[in-house]
Amino acid sequence: MNTQSFFERIESQLDFNRKIFFLVLTIFYVAIRYITNDLILQNIPGFESLEEDGSLTYFHIFNTLNYLWTPFSLLWKFLLTTFLLWMGSFAWGYKISFGRIWSLVLLAEVIFIMPELLKLLALIIFPENWSVAEMRDFYPLSILSLMDYTQVPKAYIYPLQALNLFELVYILSLAVGIASILKKGWKAGILIVSTAYILIFLGWLVFYILAYR
């Protein structure tokens, strides 16, 4: 398969109903996180007695609000990523439809379902091997997963979670997708994603560390 036909095949995958796809993604995230949070709560010592006397009420309220916020957080993430890539392509002299990039970003998000599932499976298969903090902060195939959580300053927890294998695959998927839409070769896709996404992503992590209180 030559490069041109490969790009055409990739671009053809961007033709789908974005509203339905977004709804399915949201349902997946909420369902997985609901089960994961339930496992975390059940691992708290004295869970049943705490549940009976209402001590976990705030946990349930917080988790419920988190589920309700999921579609809005996903929408914000998709809009921001799409806008950055669209502006990046424009800055480098390429014209791409905003809707086409939006489809690419939606499709690439499937990659981040995998760590959610892996975390859930790990909690189900090895329920006795975790503290509550480890269950909360564990992110598969991230830099944090290779370290002793108790020795990591809190300001670095999220950045070390964010630096993971799935993020790398996501970045490569965006680059391939942009190159496929443009049909200008790999260089254009890599250039746009590197400047419009990777630099912003790394800058955000540095800002998070510096601003953490």
Side-chain angles (χ1 to χ4, degrees):
M1 181 184 297
N2 59 44
T3 302
Q4 193 65 26
S5 61
F6 173 75
F7 285 158
E8 290 175 356
R9 184 171 181 179
I10 293 297
E11 189 187 13
S12 68
Q13 303 303 310
L14 302 179
D15 296 317
F16 58 87
N17 189 308
R18 293 192 289 263
K19 292 181 181 179
I20 294 177
F21 196 86
F22 177 80
L23 178 61
V24 171
L25 274 178
T26 301
I27 291 172
F28 263 104
Y29 270 114
V30 171
I32 294 170
R33 289 173 180 175
Y34 176 83
I35 299 172
T36 301
N37 288 335
D38 189 57
L39 289 173
I40 292 174
L41 287 175
Q42 290 184 31
N43 200 56
I44 296 176
F47 163 75
E48 293 183 355
S49 59
L50 291 173
E51 186 73 88
E52 290 176 359
D53 64 21
S55 299
L56 297 179
T57 300
Y58 289 110
F59 284 96
H60 291 303
I61 293 174
F62 177 80
N63 286 339
T64 299
L65 292 175
N66 188 38
Y67 305 144
L68 294 174
W69 177 246
T70 296
F72 301 103
S73 63
L74 287 175
L75 183 61
W76 166 247
K77 177 184 178 181
F78 298 155
L79 282 172
L80 180 60
T81 304
T82 300
F83 178 74
L84 290 174
L85 293 173
W86 183 73
M87 286 297 295
S89 62
F90 179 78
W92 285 104
Y94 298 106
K95 185 178 180 180
I96 307 180
S97 163
F98 191 90
R100 213 63 177 155
I101 301 177
W102 174 264
S103 295
L104 170 63
V105 171
L106 276 175
L107 191 60
E109 183 65 22
V110 173
I111 294 167
F112 290 121
I113 293 289
M114 291 304 300
E116 299 276 348
L117 287 173
L118 288 176
K119 178 177 181 176
L120 177 59
L121 289 174
L123 296 180
I124 292 174
I125 297 173
F126 308 106
E128 70 284 352
N129 295 343
W130 310 83
S131 67
V132 173
E134 287 173 335
M135 295 176 81
R136 181 193 63 220
D137 296 332
F138 174 61
Y139 198 99
L141 302 180
S142 67
I143 293 179
L144 183 65
S145 68
L146 304 175
M147 306 172 70
D148 181 359
Y149 296 17
T150 60
Q151 302 301 316
V152 179
K154 291 184 178 180
Y156 291 88
I157 293 291
Y158 165 69
L160 293 175
Q161 287 176 328
L163 297 173
N164 58 76
L165 182 61
F166 300 100
E167 185 67 44
L168 178 59
V169 175
Y170 178 73
I171 290 171
L172 292 175
S173 298
L174 293 179
V176 171
I178 293 294
S180 300
I181 295 171
L182 289 173
K183 298 182 178 63
K184 298 288 186 180
W186 299 99
K187 183 179 179 180
I190 294 172
L191 189 65
I192 291 170
V193 174
S194 296
T195 54
Y197 181 82
I198 296 178
L199 289 180
I200 301 297
F201 172 69
L202 294 177
W204 159 246
L205 295 184
V206 172
F207 173 79
Y208 180 90
I209 293 171
L210 296 177
Y212 186 87
R213 291 291 184 274

